[in-house]
Amino acid sequence: MPTPQNLQELFRTIYGAVYQCNRYNCYLVEFAGGISPFKVKDFMALKQHVDAINVEAMLEDPSRASDVHVLMPYRSERCFVLTLTDVLHFQELLQGARAMMSLNSMLYECLYAPAVY
């Protein structure tokens, strides 16, 4: 497990946070009382799976089975059992983290791009 000095906080909400660990080349997702490490590819897959959850269908379906969504990410020991509000909070957290990753990439490209004359 990475130590706190190896972690950089990418994005935080009151419901969780996403950290980047350059030493192990992974992201740590803190959500719903637990921390789960994900490799870059697995983090992107997790974001796609969370974004693919049909919130509208969860709202419209009156059955009890639609009240929760069970998410079992690739190569993770953790299973997420998400209510409708948890899905919305998780989507917000992962979207914010992805936006910060894109911003970091753009800043790096601008700062370290070779000057063309």
Side-chain angles (χ1 to χ4, degrees):
M1 185 73 175
T3 58
Q5 63 264 23
N6 293 330
L7 299 180
Q8 295 175 351
E9 185 178 292
L10 283 180
F11 188 74
R12 174 178 289 281
T13 66
I14 60 172
Y15 302 103
V18 177
Y19 303 97
Q20 179 178 346
C21 178
N22 291 331
R23 183 175 180 191
Y24 294 104
N25 195 26
C26 68
Y27 295 103
L28 285 103
V29 177
E30 177 186 345
F31 187 76
I35 298 177
S36 304
F38 293 96
K39 293 292 184 185
V40 177
K41 185 176 179 181
D42 297 333
F43 178 80
M44 295 304 179
L46 173 67
K47 185 183 177 322
Q48 286 180 343
H49 286 285
V50 172
D51 288 344
I53 297 173
N54 191 345
V55 176
E56 188 176 319
M58 287 178 77
L59 283 170
E60 293 175 352
D61 191 353
S63 68
R64 292 189 65 151
S66 69
D67 289 344
V68 296
H69 186 85
V70 178
L71 184 65
M72 297 183 336
Y74 299 126
R75 291 181 280 280
S76 177
E77 295 177 1
R78 183 148 184 217
C79 175
F80 294 95
V81 180
L82 305 170
T83 63
L84 178 63
T85 55
D86 290 337
V87 169
L88 295 173
H89 296 313
F90 205 27
Q91 285 178 344
E92 176 188 10
L93 178 67
L94 296 179
Q95 287 171 356
R98 181 64 181 116
M100 291 300 113
M101 291 164 58
S102 297
L103 179 62
N104 284 343
S105 295
M106 286 188 280
L107 288 173
Y108 184 83
E109 288 174 9
C110 290
L111 291 173
Y112 298 107
V116 177
Y117 295 99

